[in-house]
Amino acid sequence: METIEAIKTRRSIGIVKQDPVPKEMIEQIIEAGTYAPNHHRTEPWRFFVLTGEGRNKLGQVFEEITRIENADDTPESLISKLERQKKNPLRAPVIIAVGIEPSDKNNVLVAEEYAAVNSAIQNMLLAAHSLGLGAVWRTGKITYHDKVREFFNLSSKGEVLAFIYLGYPDMEPKSAKKTPIDELTTWIG
């Protein structure tokens, strides 16, 4: 697949089959992430692959966070939220959590560390697409909770920036509507 074609045809695929994804494909996707641009070559990305029971363990963390964050809800409402959050990680056979551990070096800007990891995530999504896999980059408030950081044993400066849900597509993606570039671009000559 040509690069421009991959960029233009990649879509978030939120519904995937539960068929196992070969370890070699997962490793290719992670390796693609490590080729992202990274000022000062600090390699601030960290990757965590969750399959099988690992997804249930993450679901338990999501359930615990939801219980804390919604303590004032009615019991009926809380039970519904807890069940949904607990099951969320089971939506795909593989989740790659992508974390950041920013460098302590004085010459390294934290914003550039985040840019590098976000670029790594985009590389991973494009790699998954090129391999015929469906993927979606999931975040939300729960992603940045201290309990998620603790689950992945990240430092107090680290955090998770993405949960990439990965599997074989079980949906047809919608076409993308993009604003014409002339409406978004200013040429300065």
mmCIF file of all heavy atoms in Angstrom, residues 74-112:
data_model
loop_
_atom_site.group_PDB
_atom_site.id
_atom_site.type_symbol
_atom_site.label_atom_id
_atom_site.label_comp_id
_atom_site.label_asym_id
_atom_site.label_seq_id
_atom_site.Cartn_x
_atom_site.Cartn_y
_atom_site.Cartn_z
ATOM 1 N N THR A 74 -26.989 6.974 41.488
ATOM 2 C CA THR A 74 -27.936 6.003 42.054
ATOM 3 C C THR A 74 -27.349 4.611 41.853
ATOM 4 O O THR A 74 -26.572 4.393 40.911
ATOM 5 C CB THR A 74 -29.297 6.090 41.344
ATOM 6 O OG1 THR A 74 -29.111 5.710 39.975
ATOM 7 C CG2 THR A 74 -29.901 7.481 41.452
ATOM 8 N N PRO A 75 -27.718 3.653 42.691
ATOM 9 C CA PRO A 75 -27.189 2.296 42.529
ATOM 10 C C PRO A 75 -27.438 1.715 41.130
ATOM 11 O O PRO A 75 -26.555 1.091 40.549
ATOM 12 C CB PRO A 75 -27.909 1.496 43.604
ATOM 13 C CG PRO A 75 -28.244 2.501 44.652
ATOM 14 C CD PRO A 75 -28.526 3.779 43.901
ATOM 15 N N GLU A 76 -28.630 1.954 40.578
ATOM 16 C CA GLU A 76 -28.951 1.408 39.250
ATOM 17 C C GLU A 76 -28.045 2.002 38.172
ATOM 18 O O GLU A 76 -27.534 1.291 37.316
ATOM 19 C CB GLU A 76 -30.426 1.680 38.895
ATOM 20 C CG GLU A 76 -31.440 1.077 39.835
ATOM 21 C CD GLU A 76 -31.646 1.899 41.112
ATOM 22 O OE1 GLU A 76 -31.363 3.121 41.123
ATOM 23 O OE2 GLU A 76 -32.066 1.293 42.113
ATOM 24 N N SER A 77 -27.867 3.314 38.237
ATOM 25 C CA SER A 77 -27.022 4.000 37.261
ATOM 26 C C SER A 77 -25.570 3.545 37.402
ATOM 27 O O SER A 77 -24.883 3.309 36.406
ATOM 28 C CB SER A 77 -27.119 5.508 37.456
ATOM 29 O OG SER A 77 -26.227 6.182 36.610
ATOM 30 N N LEU A 78 -25.105 3.427 38.632
ATOM 31 C CA LEU A 78 -23.731 3.021 38.884
ATOM 32 C C LEU A 78 -23.470 1.610 38.368
ATOM 33 O O LEU A 78 -22.455 1.360 37.716
ATOM 34 C CB LEU A 78 -23.408 3.116 40.375
ATOM 35 C CG LEU A 78 -21.977 2.746 40.774
ATOM 36 C CD1 LEU A 78 -20.968 3.638 40.065
ATOM 37 C CD2 LEU A 78 -21.806 2.832 42.286
ATOM 38 N N ILE A 79 -24.371 0.682 38.632
ATOM 39 C CA ILE A 79 -24.202 -0.703 38.173
ATOM 40 C C ILE A 79 -24.062 -0.764 36.661
ATOM 41 O O ILE A 79 -23.198 -1.455 36.128
ATOM 42 C CB ILE A 79 -25.367 -1.593 38.674
ATOM 43 C CG1 ILE A 79 -25.234 -1.802 40.178
ATOM 44 C CG2 ILE A 79 -25.396 -2.937 37.940
ATOM 45 C CD1 ILE A 79 -26.442 -2.444 40.831
ATOM 46 N N SER A 80 -24.888 -0.012 35.961
ATOM 47 C CA SER A 80 -24.827 0.029 34.499
ATOM 48 C C SER A 80 -23.473 0.545 34.013
ATOM 49 O O SER A 80 -22.855 -0.033 33.112
ATOM 50 C CB SER A 80 -25.957 0.907 33.971
ATOM 51 O OG SER A 80 -25.845 1.084 32.590
ATOM 52 N N LYS A 81 -22.997 1.626 34.616
ATOM 53 C CA LYS A 81 -21.703 2.206 34.232
ATOM 54 C C LYS A 81 -20.557 1.250 34.538
ATOM 55 O O LYS A 81 -19.621 1.102 33.740
ATOM 56 C CB LYS A 81 -21.477 3.534 34.953
ATOM 57 C CG LYS A 81 -22.335 4.662 34.445
ATOM 58 C CD LYS A 81 -22.099 5.929 35.244
ATOM 59 C CE LYS A 81 -23.026 7.045 34.778
ATOM 60 N NZ LYS A 81 -22.864 8.263 35.594
ATOM 61 N N LEU A 82 -20.627 0.595 35.693
ATOM 62 C CA LEU A 82 -19.568 -0.339 36.083
ATOM 63 C C LEU A 82 -19.468 -1.497 35.096
ATOM 64 O O LEU A 82 -18.370 -1.882 34.680
ATOM 65 C CB LEU A 82 -19.820 -0.866 37.501
ATOM 66 C CG LEU A 82 -19.708 0.139 38.639
ATOM 67 C CD1 LEU A 82 -20.137 -0.501 39.959
ATOM 68 C CD2 LEU A 82 -18.306 0.709 38.735
ATOM 69 N N GLU A 83 -20.609 -2.067 34.734
ATOM 70 C CA GLU A 83 -20.621 -3.190 33.793
ATOM 71 C C GLU A 83 -20.054 -2.786 32.430
ATOM 72 O O GLU A 83 -19.284 -3.515 31.827
ATOM 73 C CB GLU A 83 -22.033 -3.753 33.635
ATOM 74 C CG GLU A 83 -22.454 -4.641 34.773
ATOM 75 C CD GLU A 83 -21.523 -5.831 34.968
ATOM 76 O OE1 GLU A 83 -21.216 -6.539 33.984
ATOM 77 O OE2 GLU A 83 -21.086 -6.059 36.113
ATOM 78 N N ARG A 84 -20.466 -1.603 31.961
ATOM 79 C CA ARG A 84 -20.005 -1.133 30.652
ATOM 80 C C ARG A 84 -18.488 -0.925 30.655
ATOM 81 O O ARG A 84 -17.783 -1.388 29.761
ATOM 82 C CB ARG A 84 -20.729 0.156 30.255
ATOM 83 C CG ARG A 84 -20.425 0.607 28.844
ATOM 84 C CD ARG A 84 -21.255 1.793 28.389
ATOM 85 N NE ARG A 84 -21.057 2.973 29.224
ATOM 86 C CZ ARG A 84 -21.951 3.470 30.073
ATOM 87 N NH1 ARG A 84 -23.120 2.898 30.231
ATOM 88 N NH2 ARG A 84 -21.680 4.558 30.781
ATOM 89 N N GLN A 85 -17.981 -0.248 31.676
ATOM 90 C CA GLN A 85 -16.544 0.022 31.735
ATOM 91 C C GLN A 85 -15.734 -1.263 31.893
ATOM 92 O O GLN A 85 -14.672 -1.399 31.295
ATOM 93 C CB GLN A 85 -16.222 0.992 32.879
ATOM 94 C CG GLN A 85 -16.623 2.414 32.602
ATOM 95 C CD GLN A 85 -15.890 3.023 31.423
ATOM 96 O OE1 GLN A 85 -14.812 2.599 31.027
ATOM 97 N NE2 GLN A 85 -16.493 4.037 30.832
ATOM 98 N N LYS A 86 -16.258 -2.187 32.673
ATOM 99 C CA LYS A 86 -15.562 -3.463 32.876
ATOM 100 C C LYS A 86 -15.445 -4.248 31.573
ATOM 101 O O LYS A 86 -14.442 -4.912 31.311
ATOM 102 C CB LYS A 86 -16.313 -4.286 33.930
ATOM 103 C CG LYS A 86 -15.616 -5.546 34.341
ATOM 104 C CD LYS A 86 -16.396 -6.229 35.451
ATOM 105 C CE LYS A 86 -15.706 -7.491 35.899
ATOM 106 N NZ LYS A 86 -16.413 -8.124 37.022
ATOM 107 N N LYS A 87 -16.462 -4.138 30.719
ATOM 108 C CA LYS A 87 -16.483 -4.891 29.458
ATOM 109 C C LYS A 87 -15.784 -4.170 28.296
ATOM 110 O O LYS A 87 -15.489 -4.789 27.287
ATOM 111 C CB LYS A 87 -17.932 -5.188 29.058
ATOM 112 C CG LYS A 87 -18.607 -6.189 29.961
ATOM 113 C CD LYS A 87 -20.040 -6.431 29.543
ATOM 114 C CE LYS A 87 -20.727 -7.415 30.474
ATOM 115 N NZ LYS A 87 -22.149 -7.578 30.133
ATOM 116 N N ASN A 88 -15.557 -2.880 28.426
ATOM 117 C CA ASN A 88 -14.969 -2.114 27.322
ATOM 118 C C ASN A 88 -13.698 -2.747 26.736
ATOM 119 O O ASN A 88 -13.557 -2.818 25.523
ATOM 120 C CB ASN A 88 -14.717 -0.662 27.718
ATOM 121 C CG ASN A 88 -15.949 0.201 27.544
ATOM 122 O OD1 ASN A 88 -16.932 -0.198 26.916
ATOM 123 N ND2 ASN A 88 -15.906 1.389 28.116
ATOM 124 N N PRO A 89 -12.752 -3.215 27.555
ATOM 125 C CA PRO A 89 -11.544 -3.794 26.973
ATOM 126 C C PRO A 89 -11.762 -5.105 26.209
ATOM 127 O O PRO A 89 -10.854 -5.583 25.530
ATOM 128 C CB PRO A 89 -10.645 -4.033 28.201
ATOM 129 C CG PRO A 89 -11.138 -3.066 29.216
ATOM 130 C CD PRO A 89 -12.620 -3.016 28.996
ATOM 131 N N LEU A 90 -12.951 -5.666 26.299
ATOM 132 C CA LEU A 90 -13.229 -6.923 25.598
ATOM 133 C C LEU A 90 -13.728 -6.683 24.175
ATOM 134 O O LEU A 90 -14.022 -7.632 23.457
ATOM 135 C CB LEU A 90 -14.244 -7.747 26.389
ATOM 136 C CG LEU A 90 -13.837 -8.070 27.830
ATOM 137 C CD1 LEU A 90 -14.947 -8.837 28.527
ATOM 138 C CD2 LEU A 90 -12.523 -8.838 27.874
ATOM 139 N N ARG A 91 -13.792 -5.435 23.742
ATOM 140 C CA ARG A 91 -14.295 -5.106 22.407
ATOM 141 C C ARG A 91 -13.333 -5.504 21.296
ATOM 142 O O ARG A 91 -13.709 -5.485 20.127
ATOM 143 C CB ARG A 91 -14.580 -3.606 22.296
ATOM 144 C CG ARG A 91 -15.729 -3.172 23.184
ATOM 145 C CD ARG A 91 -16.006 -1.707 23.028
ATOM 146 N NE ARG A 91 -14.971 -0.918 23.693
ATOM 147 C CZ ARG A 91 -15.058 0.379 23.920
ATOM 148 N NH1 ARG A 91 -16.109 1.062 23.508
ATOM 149 N NH2 ARG A 91 -14.091 1.015 24.544
ATOM 150 N N ALA A 92 -12.099 -5.838 21.631
ATOM 151 C CA ALA A 92 -11.106 -6.244 20.628
ATOM 152 C C ALA A 92 -10.227 -7.325 21.239
ATOM 153 O O ALA A 92 -10.016 -7.348 22.455
ATOM 154 C CB ALA A 92 -10.263 -5.045 20.204
ATOM 155 N N PRO A 93 -9.676 -8.212 20.399
ATOM 156 C CA PRO A 93 -8.821 -9.275 20.940
ATOM 157 C C PRO A 93 -7.469 -8.769 21.426
ATOM 158 O O PRO A 93 -6.808 -9.432 22.214
ATOM 159 C CB PRO A 93 -8.662 -10.237 19.766
ATOM 160 C CG PRO A 93 -8.877 -9.401 18.548
ATOM 161 C CD PRO A 93 -9.879 -8.354 18.956
ATOM 162 N N VAL A 94 -7.065 -7.584 20.959
ATOM 163 C CA VAL A 94 -5.771 -7.013 21.337
ATOM 164 C C VAL A 94 -5.958 -5.529 21.646
ATOM 165 O O VAL A 94 -6.642 -4.818 20.904
ATOM 166 C CB VAL A 94 -4.732 -7.146 20.205
ATOM 167 C CG1 VAL A 94 -3.406 -6.497 20.595
ATOM 168 C CG2 VAL A 94 -4.523 -8.590 19.804
ATOM 169 N N ILE A 95 -5.352 -5.102 22.725
ATOM 170 C CA ILE A 95 -5.241 -3.677 23.014
ATOM 171 C C ILE A 95 -3.762 -3.389 23.190
ATOM 172 O O ILE A 95 -3.070 -4.080 23.941
ATOM 173 C CB ILE A 95 -5.986 -3.277 24.295
ATOM 174 C CG1 ILE A 95 -7.475 -3.603 24.194
ATOM 175 C CG2 ILE A 95 -5.776 -1.779 24.587
ATOM 176 C CD1 ILE A 95 -8.222 -3.426 25.508
ATOM 177 N N ILE A 96 -3.290 -2.380 22.475
ATOM 178 C CA ILE A 96 -1.934 -1.892 22.715
ATOM 179 C C ILE A 96 -2.084 -0.553 23.424
ATOM 180 O O ILE A 96 -2.579 0.411 22.849
ATOM 181 C CB ILE A 96 -1.125 -1.722 21.420
ATOM 182 C CG1 ILE A 96 -1.062 -3.027 20.624
ATOM 183 C CG2 ILE A 96 0.300 -1.231 21.755
ATOM 184 C CD1 ILE A 96 -0.415 -2.900 19.250
ATOM 185 N N ALA A 97 -1.698 -0.539 24.688
ATOM 186 C CA ALA A 97 -1.682 0.716 25.431
ATOM 187 C C ALA A 97 -0.351 1.387 25.132
ATOM 188 O O ALA A 97 0.703 0.747 25.184
ATOM 189 C CB ALA A 97 -1.835 0.462 26.927
ATOM 190 N N VAL A 98 -0.418 2.660 24.778
ATOM 191 C CA VAL A 98 0.801 3.407 24.463
ATOM 192 C C VAL A 98 0.971 4.477 25.524
ATOM 193 O O VAL A 98 0.100 5.326 25.709
ATOM 194 C CB VAL A 98 0.745 4.037 23.058
ATOM 195 C CG1 VAL A 98 2.062 4.735 22.736
ATOM 196 C CG2 VAL A 98 0.412 2.987 22.000
ATOM 197 N N GLY A 99 2.085 4.388 26.228
ATOM 198 C CA GLY A 99 2.376 5.338 27.283
ATOM 199 C C GLY A 99 3.544 6.227 26.936
ATOM 200 O O GLY A 99 4.262 6.000 25.956
ATOM 201 N N ILE A 100 3.714 7.239 27.764
ATOM 202 C CA ILE A 100 4.838 8.161 27.617
ATOM 203 C C ILE A 100 5.598 8.210 28.931
ATOM 204 O O ILE A 100 4.999 8.205 30.007
ATOM 205 C CB ILE A 100 4.351 9.577 27.217
ATOM 206 C CG1 ILE A 100 5.546 10.524 27.029
ATOM 207 C CG2 ILE A 100 3.360 10.139 28.227
ATOM 208 C CD1 ILE A 100 5.181 11.862 26.414
ATOM 209 N N GLU A 101 6.901 8.236 28.820
ATOM 210 C CA GLU A 101 7.797 8.504 29.944
ATOM 211 C C GLU A 101 8.725 9.621 29.479
ATOM 212 O O GLU A 101 9.735 9.381 28.829
ATOM 213 C CB GLU A 101 8.605 7.261 30.337
ATOM 214 C CG GLU A 101 7.844 6.236 31.131
ATOM 215 C CD GLU A 101 7.495 6.674 32.546
ATOM 216 O OE1 GLU A 101 7.927 7.764 32.990
ATOM 217 O OE2 GLU A 101 6.772 5.922 33.221
ATOM 218 N N PRO A 102 8.356 10.877 29.753
ATOM 219 C CA PRO A 102 9.161 12.000 29.280
ATOM 220 C C PRO A 102 10.576 11.985 29.868
ATOM 221 O O PRO A 102 10.778 11.604 31.014
ATOM 222 C CB PRO A 102 8.398 13.234 29.775
ATOM 223 C CG PRO A 102 7.028 12.761 30.109
ATOM 224 C CD PRO A 102 7.182 11.327 30.493
ATOM 225 N N SER A 103 11.519 12.432 29.063
ATOM 226 C CA SER A 103 12.920 12.499 29.477
ATOM 227 C C SER A 103 13.126 13.557 30.557
ATOM 228 O O SER A 103 12.417 14.560 30.608
ATOM 229 C CB SER A 103 13.792 12.828 28.262
ATOM 230 O OG SER A 103 15.121 13.058 28.659
ATOM 231 N N ASP A 104 14.124 13.336 31.415
ATOM 232 C CA ASP A 104 14.502 14.301 32.451
ATOM 233 C C ASP A 104 15.567 15.287 31.974
ATOM 234 O O ASP A 104 15.936 16.205 32.701
ATOM 235 C CB ASP A 104 15.059 13.560 33.678
ATOM 236 C CG ASP A 104 13.985 12.814 34.437
ATOM 237 O OD1 ASP A 104 12.818 13.255 34.412
ATOM 238 O OD2 ASP A 104 14.322 11.783 35.054
ATOM 239 N N LYS A 105 16.081 15.095 30.765
ATOM 240 C CA LYS A 105 17.162 15.953 30.273
ATOM 241 C C LYS A 105 16.690 17.402 30.153
ATOM 242 O O LYS A 105 15.579 17.672 29.696
ATOM 243 C CB LYS A 105 17.649 15.462 28.906
ATOM 244 C CG LYS A 105 18.291 14.093 28.947
ATOM 245 C CD LYS A 105 18.714 13.661 27.559
ATOM 246 C CE LYS A 105 19.300 12.263 27.572
ATOM 247 N NZ LYS A 105 19.619 11.795 26.215
ATOM 248 N N ASN A 106 17.548 18.335 30.546
ATOM 249 C CA ASN A 106 17.204 19.760 30.540
ATOM 250 C C ASN A 106 16.883 20.297 29.151
ATOM 251 O O ASN A 106 16.090 21.222 29.016
ATOM 252 C CB ASN A 106 18.332 20.591 31.157
ATOM 253 C CG ASN A 106 18.446 20.394 32.659
ATOM 254 O OD1 ASN A 106 17.467 20.026 33.307
ATOM 255 N ND2 ASN A 106 19.620 20.630 33.210
ATOM 256 N N ASN A 107 17.516 19.762 28.121
ATOM 257 C CA ASN A 107 17.328 20.286 26.770
ATOM 258 C C ASN A 107 16.112 19.697 26.055
ATOM 259 O O ASN A 107 15.829 20.048 24.919
ATOM 260 C CB ASN A 107 18.583 20.066 25.930
ATOM 261 C CG ASN A 107 18.907 18.591 25.736
ATOM 262 O OD1 ASN A 107 18.541 17.744 26.552
ATOM 263 N ND2 ASN A 107 19.603 18.285 24.654
ATOM 264 N N VAL A 108 15.368 18.823 26.719
ATOM 265 C CA VAL A 108 14.218 18.153 26.105
ATOM 266 C C VAL A 108 12.933 18.848 26.549
ATOM 267 O O VAL A 108 12.695 19.027 27.741
ATOM 268 C CB VAL A 108 14.179 16.657 26.492
ATOM 269 C CG1 VAL A 108 12.923 16.000 25.963
ATOM 270 C CG2 VAL A 108 15.425 15.947 25.968
ATOM 271 N N LEU A 109 12.140 19.241 25.564
ATOM 272 C CA LEU A 109 10.845 19.863 25.847
ATOM 273 C C LEU A 109 9.780 18.780 25.987
ATOM 274 O O LEU A 109 9.666 17.897 25.128
ATOM 275 C CB LEU A 109 10.458 20.823 24.721
ATOM 276 C CG LEU A 109 11.428 21.990 24.479
ATOM 277 C CD1 LEU A 109 10.999 22.771 23.246
ATOM 278 C CD2 LEU A 109 11.484 22.885 25.702
ATOM 279 N N VAL A 110 9.000 18.848 27.045
ATOM 280 C CA VAL A 110 7.962 17.842 27.292
ATOM 281 C C VAL A 110 6.956 17.811 26.138
ATOM 282 O O VAL A 110 6.510 16.735 25.729
ATOM 283 C CB VAL A 110 7.260 18.086 28.647
ATOM 284 C CG1 VAL A 110 6.073 17.155 28.825
ATOM 285 C CG2 VAL A 110 8.245 17.899 29.785
ATOM 286 N N ALA A 111 6.620 18.963 25.590
ATOM 287 C CA ALA A 111 5.675 19.009 24.466
ATOM 288 C C ALA A 111 6.186 18.190 23.287
ATOM 289 O O ALA A 111 5.405 17.528 22.593
ATOM 290 C CB ALA A 111 5.429 20.453 24.038
ATOM 291 N N GLU A 112 7.499 18.192 23.072
ATOM 292 C CA GLU A 112 8.073 17.409 21.972
ATOM 293 C C GLU A 112 8.044 15.915 22.273
ATOM 294 O O GLU A 112 7.938 15.094 21.365
ATOM 295 C CB GLU A 112 9.495 17.887 21.671
ATOM 296 C CG GLU A 112 9.509 19.280 21.067
ATOM 297 C CD GLU A 112 10.900 19.793 20.757
ATOM 298 O OE1 GLU A 112 11.904 19.141 21.123
ATOM 299 O OE2 GLU A 112 10.974 20.870 20.138
#
